[in-house]
Amino acid sequence: MRNFLWRIPPFKQLKMSFGVQRLMLAVGLVIVSIFVLMAALAPLIAPYGFAQLQYENGEYFGAQEPPNPNHLLGTTVGGFDVLSRVIWGTQTALMVIIVAVIMSIFIGVILGLISGYLGGWVDRVLVLVADAVYAFPSLLLAIALSIVISGGRSGLFTGILAAALSITVIFIPQYFRAVRAETLRIKQEAYVESARVLGAGNLRIMFRHIFRNATRTLPLIFTLNASEAILTLAGLGFLGFGIDPTMGAEWGYDLNRSVSDVSAGIWWTSIFPGLAIVLVVLGNTLVGESLNDLADPRLRARQSVEVAGDE
Amino acid sequence: MAKQPGAGNSLLKYLAVRFTLIFPTVLILITMVFIVMRSIGDPITAALGGKLSNEELEIRIEAAGYNRPILVQYFEYLGQIFRGDFGSTLTTNKPITDLLGTYGMATLELAVYAILVALVVGIPLGMLAAKRRDTATDAGLRLFAILAYATPVFFVGLLLKLIFAVTFPILPVNGRASVNTELAITLMDNPTGIYLIDAIRLGEAEFIFDVISHAILPGLALGLLTAGIFLRLVRTNMIGTLNTEFIEAGRSRGVRESRLVTSHAFRPALIPIITVIGMQIAVLLSGAVLTETTFEWKGLGFQLAQYLNARDYVAVQGIVALLAVIVALTNFLVDVLVALVDPRVKF
């Protein structure tokens, strides 16, 4: 999660921001840090396992128990402890984000570089495919892929992989577009021309001269995509294509099981996993939005003009 | 959608090029869906495996032609689609295109409500946020926009249900209409499938009220998602436009700030909205699947979820392919609209 700090350290942004913008960035960073910490420390903080149904003495938790001292947030219709599943859910969400984003950056960046640099029919075909995928309802593609990868519901790792891969396919066009557009621009720059005159090969120009400059905007897309990854994972879970409840805790699945609870007035099974999704996405989006605003001189709050945005 | 460079120097030529682009787009999507759905084997085994004996499965697979080379099947499928035949569902044996008539209208109705909510909520609030830029109002509105995006539609739906249908039971929990209304609409001549129109045609206040009260919560749930996106977009564009020279000129002539926002900057800031409404079609369709499932709103998305659970992948493939065509056509229409409205697009 923290590896994106290497390019745009949010602490630098935190310093150059002020007022509302700084507050938004700070709140976002705090939420994201809590989320990552929870995921790392889940085994220590969670009162029970995510698939645990019984106490140590063999007695069952009971289903749909309202919040009580033993189960601070109550139990679900399946008899799981809500608090534990909310906490363990951070691990699943974090893993999906990491896998999905790494894969889509890797593939999307390479395709974008190649497409933008080479141009011609390669470029045209790739742009057409990327546009087609981009315009299509992402959840439907994700569903189709998760059926193929895992046959619907599945274990923790196949489930995470299925969710991550489905998300990857949706995200590749976004990285592809961003990197391709930048590559097209940079390709015209004098220093690329000089490199070519000096006899540098295509690969060297692509990966040494263009790559560094074309990937500057990626951390922004990254944070926004992390949000989308969580929402897609939850959507898949909500439709019943997520991770088996005995294999991992997933908030979307828990919400799916709580639909009938809601009509009966049982609120604790839906509110808490739902809030978990909202908070994580909120934290991520706050960070992403603030970074985006700080990078865009049109949107940067007025008093901060003295800070140089270009590197 | 960005315009292709070299799209020609006349509107007509641009439209022609843009129209031809629909075909490869649809072809790519349909091919992808075909590959993805077929890579799990034949749909008959997926849907009925375990329910029928192996011999019976063999017979049905052969009858449906799933034992032939995959390429033959692929080209046959393309031919079918080209003729407008999206196949029939395995489990209920209904033509997919018929589903569009029955359930597509329900989804369309929901989508229209959602877009209305989004426009009514998103645009004025976005303008307000731009005008009060960097104040507490702006921060609050932006937080609202981010929250609207951060909250999954199904969770918004569950919350709305919990508040307005369970705790304070003023609105119905599920469905598109109550039994009486649905019956009256089914029995009328040529129902459009859009319940509000049908209810108005029936002319009974009770039906109209019933249909509207059922539509409020799903429309809000799906609409708020898009409202957040509109708010952010209008705010960003409005701020950009308010910094331009023609606004500065207006300002120096003494035009009031509120008038600059509502009149001068309004049109240029709104053009991107049209483009984004087009891109929202995809988001709306994803959201519709989730919203319809949450509210048992019997539209295409609800139906898709049913077929998914029944492992009827022929139906799933058909519905997804049909949606691909719809999305491609809508995007084309939006691009045409933008070309006609935006003065910066020169031909």
Side-chain angles (χ1 to χ4, degrees):
Chain A
M1 192 61 200
R2 295 238 138 198
N3 60 357
F4 75 97
L5 306 187
W6 100 141
R7 219 157 233 282
I8 294 199
F11 304 105
K12 182 182 131 198
Q13 264 74 7
L14 203 57
K15 230 173 85 189
M16 77 186 250
S17 65
F18 72 98
V20 175
Q21 225 161 32
R22 168 177 274 183
L23 188 71
M24 283 171 72
L25 183 55
V27 171
L29 284 175
V30 168
I31 297 177
V32 170
S33 319
I34 293 177
F35 164 62
V36 175
L37 267 179
M38 262 200 174
L41 302 177
L44 297 177
I45 353 174
Y48 307 101
F50 51 79
Q52 196 175 335
L53 292 166
Q54 296 153 295
Y55 296 107
E56 312 267 285
N57 60 18
E59 200 186 324
Y60 280 91
F61 293 166
Q64 298 181 325
E65 294 282 329
N68 60 55
N70 280 334
H71 303 280
L72 291 177
L73 304 183
T75 61
T76 71
V77 65
F80 299 120
D81 178 52
V82 175
L83 176 63
S84 306
R85 285 190 66 83
V86 167
I87 295 175
W88 283 102
T90 53
Q91 265 192 358
T92 316
L94 187 63
M95 280 193 271
V96 170
I97 295 176
I98 293 175
V99 177
V101 173
I102 289 179
M103 283 196 296
S104 40
I105 289 187
F106 191 70
I107 304 172
V109 167
I110 290 184
L111 287 179
L113 265 179
I114 293 175
S115 186
Y117 185 76
L118 293 185
W121 66 268
V122 178
D123 186 42
R124 277 189 206 166
V125 170
L126 283 174
V127 168
L128 208 57
V129 173
D131 277 358
V133 174
Y134 185 72
F136 196 68
S138 52
L139 190 65
L140 299 187
L141 276 185
I143 292 172
L145 281 165
S146 82
I147 293 177
V148 174
I149 296 167
S150 60
R153 179 122 27 94
S154 55
L156 183 60
F157 287 100
T158 41
I160 287 180
L161 197 69
L165 262 178
S166 336
I167 296 164
T168 303
V169 173
I170 305 160
F171 285 171
I172 288 176
Q174 299 182 15
Y175 291 99
F176 170 81
R177 287 174 149 209
V179 172
R180 175 180 171 274
E182 280 290 289
T183 308
L184 278 180
R185 188 181 61 77
I186 295 168
K187 186 165 88 163
Q188 317 286 345
E189 299 270 332
Y191 72 87
V192 174
E193 199 63 34
S194 343
R196 192 170 297 128
V197 170
L198 285 173
N202 282 343
L203 276 178
R204 188 179 161 85
I205 295 178
M206 254 195 267
F207 287 97
R208 195 170 165 81
H209 298 273
I210 298 181
F211 178 78
R212 281 295 295 267
N213 291 305
T215 48
R216 273 201 315 192
T217 52
L218 290 191
L220 306 178
I221 313 178
F222 170 91
T223 47
L224 296 177
N225 274 1
S227 306
E228 241 180 285
I230 298 174
L231 292 175
T232 309
L233 175 70
L236 279 176
F238 184 73
L239 290 174
F241 293 93
I243 289 153
D244 195 279
T246 56
M247 296 296 181
E250 200 274 304
W251 300 324
Y253 172 85
D254 290 348
L255 279 171
N256 166 298
R257 298 304 311 273
S258 74
V259 174
S260 46
D261 293 357
V262 165
S263 313
I266 295 169
W267 51 273
W268 56 90
T269 50
S270 52
I271 297 273
F272 299 114
L275 279 182
I277 300 176
V278 175
L279 272 178
V280 174
V281 177
L282 177 70
N284 250 313
T285 313
L286 282 176
V287 174
E289 281 264 293
S290 313
L291 293 186
N292 193 26
D293 286 4
L294 288 169
D296 184 344
R298 283 195 319 166
L299 295 175
R300 205 178 299 145
R302 286 172 194 136
Q303 288 95 317
S304 64
V305 277
E306 75 274 5
V307 184
D310 286 339
E311 288 151 276
Chain B
M1 297 278 103
K3 280 184 29 178
Q4 302 295 317
N9 42 18
S10 77
L11 179 60
L12 222 59
K13 197 170 167 193
Y14 166 64
L15 293 186
V17 171
R18 184 59 191 79
F19 182 76
T20 3
L21 267 178
I22 295 178
F23 295 98
T25 309
V26 170
L27 182 73
I28 288 167
L29 283 173
I30 286 177
T31 307
M32 271 174 44
V33 172
F34 183 88
I35 295 173
V36 164
M37 297 310 290
R38 271 320 155 69
S39 58
I40 36 174
D42 76 282
I44 290 181
T45 317
L48 304 170
K51 289 181 196 153
L52 297 177
S53 70
N54 281 345
E55 291 77 38
E56 274 179 297
L57 281 180
E58 289 292 323
I59 294 169
R60 296 196 57 166
I61 290 173
E62 207 168 305
Y66 290 127
N67 55 345
R68 292 171 303 157
I70 195 80
L71 268 181
V72 175
Q73 292 183 45
Y74 170 67
F75 283 112
E76 195 186 77
Y77 184 66
L78 284 188
Q80 267 183 18
I81 299 252
F82 193 71
R83 291 193 303 272
D85 173 9
F86 288 80
S88 298
T89 65
L90 259 185
T91 39
T92 48
N93 201 26
K94 276 191 215 146
I96 301 287
T97 34
D98 281 11
L99 293 182
L100 187 68
T102 10
Y103 301 107
M105 288 303 158
T107 304
L108 179 69
E109 192 177 5
L110 179 61
V112 170
Y113 294 149
I115 290 185
L116 281 180
V117 170
L119 291 174
V120 170
V121 175
I123 294 182
L125 291 185
M127 285 164 61
L128 184 66
K131 196 175 149 239
R132 302 267 170 85
R133 184 183 172 188
D134 297 332
T135 64
T137 319
D138 181 27
L141 286 172
R142 291 181 73 190
L143 190 65
F144 165 76
I146 295 177
L147 272 177
Y149 163 79
T151 318
V153 271
F154 47 90
F155 185 50
V156 178
L158 290 176
L159 282 181
L160 287 173
K161 265 178 158 181
L162 206 53
I163 298 170
F164 296 108
V166 179
T167 316
F168 307 103
I170 42 176
L171 289 170
V173 182
N174 280 332
R176 293 179 67 196
S178 45
V179 186
N180 284 338
T181 318
E182 258 183 3
L183 195 65
I185 290 177
T186 334
L187 292 179
M188 72 189 286
D189 300 328
N190 307 317
T192 55
I194 296 174
Y195 275 17
L196 186 59
I197 295 180
D198 289 338
I200 291 172
R201 276 169 61 203
L202 282 170
E204 293 230 15
E206 187 200 334
F207 292 153
I208 301 176
F209 181 76
D210 184 52
V211 167
I212 293 179
S213 68
H214 276 85
I216 294 177
L217 294 186
L220 264 182
L222 188 53
L224 283 179
L225 170 76
T226 317
I229 299 173
F230 283 3
L231 198 167
R232 278 161 28 160
L233 195 75
V234 170
R235 177 186 178 274
T236 312
N237 281 305
M238 192 64 104
I239 288 176
T241 316
L242 285 176
N243 283 337
T244 53
E245 282 170 357
F246 81 94
I247 294 291
E248 201 53 53
R251 200 175 278 139
S252 63
R253 285 200 309 274
V255 181
R256 268 177 300 123
E257 197 69 16
S258 56
R259 190 168 158 68
L260 284 174
V261 170
T262 50
S263 162
H264 291 62
F266 189 63
R267 213 176 111 105
L270 229 56
I271 287 165
I273 287 274
I274 303 173
T275 320
V276 170
I277 289 183
M279 294 199 290
Q280 285 306 303
I281 302 292
V283 177
L284 274 177
L285 282 173
S286 291
V289 178
L290 297 168
T291 315
E292 288 175 8
T293 313
T294 316
F295 287 99
E296 287 172 36
W297 182 278
K298 299 208 168 57
L300 265 190
F302 180 80
Q303 223 46 42
L304 182 71
Q306 302 288 102
Y307 285 122
L308 277 167
N309 284 324
R311 298 180 154 267
D312 184 343
Y313 296 144
V314 180
V316 173
Q317 186 180 341
I319 295 177
V320 174
L322 189 61
L323 290 177
V325 174
I326 295 176
V327 168
L329 282 176
T330 334
N331 280 330
F332 166 68
L333 289 179
V334 168
D335 279 3
V336 172
L337 204 64
V338 171
L340 294 176
V341 175
D342 192 343
R344 284 170 302 182
V345 180
K346 293 270 186 291
F347 304 103

